[in-house]
Each structure stands twice: as structure tokens, then as C-alpha cells.
Amino acid sequence: MQRVYGAQNEMCLATHQLSKQLLAYEKQNFALGKGDEEVISTLHYFAKVVDELNVLHTELAKQLADTMILPIIRFREKDLTEVSTLKDLFGLASNEHDLSMAKYSRLPKKKENEKVKTDVVKEVAAARRKQHLSSLQYYCALNALQDRKRVAMMEPMIGFAHGQINFFKKGAEMFSQNMNSFLSSVADMVQSIQGELEAEAEKMRVSQQELLSVDESVYAPDFDVAAPQINRNLIQKAGYLNLRSKTGLVTTTWERLYFFTQGGNLMCQPRGAVAGGLIQDLDNCSVMAVDCEDRRYCFQITTPNGKSGIILQAESRKENEEWICAINNISRQIYLTDNPEAVAIKLNQTALQAVTPITSFGKKQESPCPSQNLRNVELENDKIVPKAAVPGPDADELIAPGTPIQFDIVLPATEFLDQNRGSRRINPFGETEDETFPEAEDSLLQQMFIVRFLGSMAVKTDNTTEVIYEAMRQVLAARAIHNIFRTTESHLMVTSQTLRLIDPQTQVTRANFELTSITQFAAHQENKRLVGFVVRTPESTGGEALSTYVFESNSEGEKICYAINLGKEIIEVQKDPEALAQLMLSVPLTNDGKYVLLNEQPDDGSPSENRGAESEA
């Protein structure tokens, strides 16, 4: 087109070259080609017209400058420059966001400075907001460029055609009525494109206003940490993660990269790369959350042969759990089925049902507290009348949805509550070697059990043993879903004052609970080896926190419940010497005055010297 305008004396050659360029438009490589089919067909028709006008030449300087050259110059110098500038701004915003996320990722998990954390979170939110706004402006400009590009190609041709008609006396012979109607339809198409452009620009303007009006907390990396909406049925996942890499024998680095799943593979695409590369084959792999370098939300992918794979860090709890669930689903090769999403939903539901036997609440209500009433059952077996079944409470009334489960015995389940409240957490699982328990020397009751810690979680009530059954169900379901099979074996010591959890190797007391703080305890109705109890602990804010602890015992859980119940009865009757004497008469004792716990429950309910074994000290 520049040649047509600049070389009036070579009009024939210029129009011939223009015709070729119009035909070659369809070969141009636009990254975001949209709606070019109509433009290409229209330009093909214009190429024929230009070939017909190739025999004519005239001076069209002024008209060509106004109707053909100006739109191209405006498109090139204004529209393309604007898109290039917005692209640079988006790149700068992305770099600022990466720097802020790097600071956020380096925040320690424990004993973190709240002021520093708040400043970093605000910095991340501001950087993310800036990146989001610049990306919207950039994408809006890219979308508008597609329409402006089409208009910039159509308007010059219309001006050129009209100039030829008006300027040449022979235009009436060359342009028939069909050509006039064609030009009219092209003009209507251009106006339609302009209308679409204005509508899209208005829509993006409204979107930007809505963006500016939202709460800045949505830009925080972990704004919904209390109750995130986690999709556990994902079969594909994409997003940014921090990749841990070793740079020496003891030194490591973390790099923020874009990861996505493709079939059964985990892919990684660095910024600026045109395609992703294979990082890990996920078929038959296992994945689980890990603690790594005092960083939060880390998980590790392990190869089928048991070798440790890569360690990744997500930016939030929601992202961390969704990545674990997605990789776990992919490792089962669900993506190869006809309907992978339905299969993933079915498998997760099956996992929940497989780890928890179907037990009606009505059956449990026949004996509302079987563990605590075990001694009464033995003594008054003929007097017990089953109660009518009543509907049990909903799970949401017992445990808040999304409550985290603690699988490690070192940390309690109430940690997340203390973090949210901002108070300093008191860790009952802190290991102490020099701490002694002098009350064990004079305790009337000492009984040792071998148990394995399965998990603990915060609960909302301790008014019913149903909260223990629900906690058991959720703990076992979470272990099955996340493929967590590792357990920690400990010795559970029940005395008449406390309940202690002891390391069998080092004899270190890992946990110590006052019996007065244990408000509920029960064994599973069908899996007799499962036992749990609810602990009420005071908080620095003045309130009280409730937590349920679930264990698997080598013996029947009812024996542990019986020991706890007996210890609580001893605490009650110690205030009354006559009641204590009556209790001592009803339960067999050893030679040194300690209680003997039952190994079996006799049918007649009468005490017998041969039915028990001496408690371990």
C-alpha cells in the first residue's frame, strides 16, 4: 500500500504487488487469529478487483493518504505500540510478583514474626493485584488488536476502491452493481466488527471496575486457610509450584516454575519456553505431605520402586491438597478410563466407605456410652434395659467441615486453631526427658497398653461419643485417601491421675493428659482395636479447645476405656474415704494395693481373682 501511494508513476506494478499481498494474507502467522475466514475471502475478492485496476493509474495522493495509508499507520504506530507497551508492563508486574512470592515462600512455618508475615502477605497481595490488573489490560489490548487488525486491513481497501470509482471516469464500466453491494456488505461487516470491539471494551471496563471493588484479601496466597473448598476428584492440575533442587551436599535451592499434568506425566514449563518438559512419570507413584526445610505446604512424589522423587511446595493449603489428590488420582491411571472424572469420584467415595464400617447410629444409641459403663455392665448385667434408638447428630455439628487432621504425634490437632487465633500454642506432645511424674509412685492404678497413634483433630462438642466415632471415620478415610500407612507405636500408661504416652525405645513421655481433662472416651463398635478420647484444654484467650485423639491398640479398646473410667472413678471417690473403701472392695487388688484390670469380662459380673492380671508399673 505504501508503494501505491509513493509511486504514482508505477501504479500498474504497485497494484499488481498489492494483489499478491492480499492473496498472501492468509499465510500470515498471527498468534491469536480469530474470525479471519471472512476477511481472507473478502481480500481474495479484492485481489481480483486490483488486477482489473492494474491497467489504470492516476494521482490519488490526497485521497489515498486519507483513506488507505492513514489507517495502516494508525494501526502500526498506535495499536501495536500500545500492545507492546502493555506486554512490557505485564512482564514487570510478573517479575515483582515472583519476587514477592519468593519472600512469602521463605517465611518459616514455626515462630514466624507476625508483623513480617503481615507485611509480606500485603506485598504479595499488592503485587498480585498489580499483575492481575496489568494482565487484564494486556489481554484486553490483545483481544482488541484482533478486531483492529481486521479493521485496519479492511478500511484501506474500501478507501482504495472508492477512490478508484470516484476518480476514474471508467469506474462505472469496471464496477458493476454487484461490486457496489459487495462494498456495502463489507462496510456493514466493518461496522459490526467495530460494534463487537466496543462491546468487548465495555465488558472489560466493567470487569476492571469489579476487580478494583473486591476485597484485597482475595489476593492473599492463603486467604481461605480456615475452610478451603478442596476438589479431591481432579484428574489434571496446573499451576505454579516451588521445586526443590540440590546444589551441593547440604545446600538446596527452590525455584518457582509452572507445572501441569499431561496424561500420566508431570510436566514443567519455565517462563518463556514454548513447551513443557517431562519432570516425573506419575503412574503407580505415591504422594504425601512432608516437612521440608521449615517450609509450609510441601509434598513429595515417590517413585514406584520406593525411591524419593521430587519435593514441591504449593502456595496455599488448598493448592497443596488438590495437587496431592490430583497426583494420587493420576497414579491410579484413572485418566485412561472412558469417564475419568466419574471414576475419580467413585474411587474417593469407595475409599471413604472402605475404611469405615457401616454402623447405624441406632445401634450405638442402644448403649450411649458403652466404654464408660463397662464396669456397671459387669456388676449389673441383668438390670440394663436398652434405650430406644434416636437419630444421631449430623457430622457438621460434631466436627467443622475442612478441619485439618494431624497424623504426626509430635504436633496436636489444635495447632491450626491457635494459629488462627494468634495465641501461642502449648504443645502437649513436647518431648521431655528430665520431667518426672511423682504421682505414678503413689497411684492406685497403673496399666500399660501398646498403641499406635492414628491421628487427632479439633472437634466442636464433647457431649456425645458420636464425635469420637466421626473422628475415627474421618481419620481413617484421610489415611486411605492420602496413602498414609506409617504409624508411631507408643506405650499408653493409665494411672489414677493422668494418661501418659511413652516412647517405648527412649521411655520419653511424649504426651501427658490429666484424667479430669478427658471428657469422653469410647472404643469402636465393630473394630474393637480402635479407641479414642476427647480432651478439653484451656487456651490463653480464656476459652477452651476440644480435640479428639484416635489410637489403634494391640488389645481391645474397651480395656483402655475401662482403665480410664476406673481412674476417673478413683478421682471422684478419693474425696470420700467410705466410697473409696467401697470401690476397693468391689475391684480386686494386687498385694501392693494396686488395682487389677480385667482381661476377660465374666458373664456373672462377680469379681474373681483369676480373671485379671496385675497392672504394669
Side-chain angles (χ1 to χ4, degrees):
M1 295 182 183
Q2 291 285 354
R3 190 169 183 179
V4 172
Y5 173 72
Q8 301 177 11
N9 295 328
E10 300 178 358
M11 183 60 67
C12 293
L13 179 60
T15 52
H16 179 69
Q17 294 295 326
L18 177 59
S19 177
K20 292 184 177 181
Q21 291 179 7
L22 295 177
L23 292 174
Y25 170 77
E26 61 180 337
K27 300 179 182 179
Q28 298 298 321
N29 184 19
F30 282 96
L32 299 176
K34 181 180 68 174
D36 280 352
E37 292 78 9
E38 295 181 359
V39 175
I40 291 173
S41 61
T42 304
L43 293 180
H44 283 181
Y45 191 86
F46 272 121
K48 296 179 181 180
V49 176
V50 173
D51 286 336
E52 295 177 1
L53 295 175
N54 191 35
V55 296
L56 301 176
H57 61 88
T58 189
E59 295 182 1
L60 304 175
K62 185 178 182 303
Q63 189 170 5
L64 293 179
D66 294 337
T67 61
M68 188 173 67
I69 302 300
L70 184 60
I72 294 297
I73 295 176
R74 185 168 56 245
F75 174 76
R76 182 182 60 195
E77 296 183 357
K78 180 182 178 182
D79 299 332
L80 294 180
T81 302
E82 179 185 3
V83 171
S84 178
T85 302
L86 291 175
K87 178 182 178 182
D88 295 337
L89 292 176
F90 173 70
L92 293 175
S94 299
N95 293 334
E96 292 179 3
H97 178 250
D98 289 344
L99 293 175
S100 62
M101 282 303 304
K103 292 182 180 179
Y104 177 80
S105 300
R106 289 193 298 268
L107 285 176
K109 182 169 61 175
K110 298 180 181 177
K111 300 181 180 179
E112 54 190 6
N113 190 321
E114 292 297 326
K115 183 176 183 304
V116 173
K117 177 184 177 182
T118 302
D119 294 342
V120 172
V121 169
K122 289 181 178 180
E123 181 180 351
V124 171
R128 186 167 291 181
R129 179 186 179 91
K130 182 178 179 182
Q131 184 193 33
H132 196 174
L133 184 59
S134 62
S135 66
L136 285 177
Q137 293 175 345
Y138 177 47
Y139 298 153
C140 179
L142 282 178
N143 293 332
L145 180 64
Q146 306 310 309
D147 294 330
R148 289 171 179 166
K149 173 254 301 182
R150 295 156 64 188
V151 172
M153 291 302 302
M154 302 294 289
E155 282 185 345
M157 298 313 307
I158 296 175
F160 176 78
H162 281 300
Q164 293 291 344
I165 294 172
N166 297 330
F167 192 83
F168 291 104
K169 293 181 180 180
K170 295 183 179 180
E173 299 178 359
M174 292 184 177
F175 294 96
S176 62
Q177 186 66 27
N178 293 333
M179 187 62 189
N180 290 331
S181 61
F182 171 74
L183 292 177
S184 178
S185 64
V186 173
D188 293 339
M189 184 176 66
V190 172
Q191 291 180 359
S192 176
I193 296 173
Q194 289 281 13
E196 294 177 2
L197 172 60
E198 293 175 359
E200 184 70 19
E202 178 64 20
K203 182 179 179 181
M204 295 304 298
R205 185 185 65 81
V206 173
S207 299
Q208 292 182 23
Q209 289 180 351
E210 293 177 354
L211 171 65
L212 295 175
S213 63
V214 300
D215 189 359
E216 293 187 0
S217 62
V218 301
Y219 291 96
D222 211 3
F223 73 96
D224 57 347
V225 65
Q229 300 296 326
I230 300 172
N231 185 359
R232 302 186 182 278
N233 304 317
L234 295 174
I235 56 172
Q236 58 183 3
K237 180 73 175 171
Y240 278 93
L241 297 171
N242 290 335
L243 173 64
R244 180 177 180 267
S245 303
K246 288 187 177 181
T247 57
L249 294 177
V250 294
T251 59
T252 59
T253 60
W254 294 82
E255 185 178 6
R256 189 168 183 264
L257 299 171
Y258 183 79
F259 288 83
F260 61 95
T261 61
Q262 189 175 65
N265 299 323
L266 179 64
M267 312 292 288
C268 173
Q269 183 173 349
R271 179 171 295 178
V274 296
L278 177 64
I279 293 294
Q280 180 76 47
D281 183 2
L282 300 179
D283 287 345
N284 300 319
C285 286
S286 61
V287 58
M288 66 180 299
V290 294
D291 292 330
C292 186
E293 298 182 7
D294 201 24
R295 285 181 175 241
R296 298 174 296 177
Y297 313 128
C298 294
F299 60 93
Q300 177 177 288
I301 302 174
T302 305
T303 59
N305 57 12
K307 293 183 179 180
S308 299
I310 59 175
I311 295 179
L312 301 169
Q313 180 190 20
E315 68 177 31
S316 65
R317 177 191 164 201
K318 177 179 183 295
E319 286 292 306
N320 182 46
E321 295 200 21
E322 286 191 349
W323 269 106
I324 292 176
C325 292
I327 295 175
N328 186 47
N329 291 335
I330 294 173
S331 67
R332 303 176 184 177
Q333 299 182 354
I334 297 176
Y335 62 92
L336 298 177
T337 60
D338 295 335
N339 191 351
E341 294 183 357
V343 174
I345 295 174
K346 183 177 180 180
L347 285 178
N348 285 325
Q349 291 177 349
T350 304
L352 291 175
Q353 297 173 358
V355 296
T356 306
I358 300 176
T359 304
S360 64
F361 282 119
K363 182 177 179 181
K364 298 174 185 177
Q365 290 295 331
E366 292 179 3
S367 178
C369 188
S371 302
Q372 300 182 36
N373 296 331
L374 178 61
R375 182 171 173 268
N376 295 330
V377 171
E378 296 174 351
L379 300 177
E380 303 179 14
N381 190 36
D382 296 335
K383 298 181 181 180
I384 293 180
V385 179
K387 297 182 180 180
V390 296
D394 294 336
D396 294 349
E397 298 176 2
L398 303 175
I399 302 175
T403 300
I405 300 174
Q406 187 68 46
F407 299 111
D408 193 346
I409 199 170
V410 178
L411 295 176
T414 54
E415 179 186 17
F416 87 105
L417 293 175
D418 295 323
Q419 288 178 348
N420 291 340
R421 296 187 181 99
S423 60
R424 187 176 184 272
R425 178 178 59 80
I426 300 175
N427 183 6
F429 286 126
E431 298 184 357
T432 56
E433 296 184 358
D434 54 352
E435 185 177 359
T436 59
F437 296 89
E439 73 277 1
E441 299 290 338
D442 302 328
S443 176
L444 294 175
L445 171 67
Q446 294 184 39
Q447 180 69 23
M448 184 80 73
F449 302 94
I450 299 177
V451 296
R452 283 169 294 280
F453 179 72
L454 298 181
S456 60
M457 60 192 307
V459 297
K460 299 171 64 175
T461 181
D462 60 351
N463 296 330
T464 173
T465 55
E466 298 298 335
V467 69
I468 299 177
Y469 301 138
E470 178 63 21
M472 290 177 178
R473 187 190 69 81
Q474 293 193 21
V475 167
L476 293 178
R479 280 183 168 269
I481 291 174
H482 298 298
N483 295 328
I484 302 176
F485 304 107
R486 177 173 57 99
T487 58
T488 302
E489 186 172 288
S490 303
H491 287 171
L492 184 67
M493 170 73 79
V494 182
T495 69
S496 57
Q497 287 89 17
T498 62
L499 188 151
R500 296 164 53 192
L501 207 61
I502 303 173
D503 190 315
Q505 301 295 330
T506 63
Q507 298 302 311
V508 172
T509 299
R510 291 184 174 273
N512 181 49
F513 302 100
E514 297 290 337
L515 286 184
T516 55
S517 67
I518 299 177
T519 58
Q520 289 286 353
F521 48 91
H524 199 278
Q525 292 291 310
E526 298 183 11
N527 188 346
K528 302 299 184 181
R529 296 171 63 187
L530 290 181
V531 64
F533 54 84
V534 180
V535 178
R536 182 184 292 269
T537 56
E539 295 181 310
S540 60
T541 56
E544 290 184 327
L546 297 175
S547 299
T548 298
Y549 297 84
V550 180
F551 295 87
E552 181 184 27
S553 173
N554 282 5
S555 58
E556 292 185 2
E558 288 290 350
K559 295 182 180 179
I560 299 179
C561 295
Y562 178 79
I564 297 176
N565 186 60
L566 186 58
K568 295 177 74 68
E569 288 187 1
I570 293 174
I571 294 176
E572 292 296 328
V573 301
Q574 278 180 341
K575 304 174 184 178
D576 186 355
E578 295 182 359
L580 179 59
Q582 186 66 27
L583 179 62
M584 294 176 65
L585 291 175
S586 62
V587 179
L589 303 175
T590 61
N591 294 331
D592 57 357
K594 294 183 172 58
Y595 287 98
V596 175
L597 296 186
L598 303 180
N599 289 331
E600 297 180 356
Q601 300 178 13
D603 295 336
D604 57 0
S606 61
S608 174
E609 294 181 0
N610 296 328
R611 72 177 184 177
E614 181 180 347
S615 303
E616 298 182 21

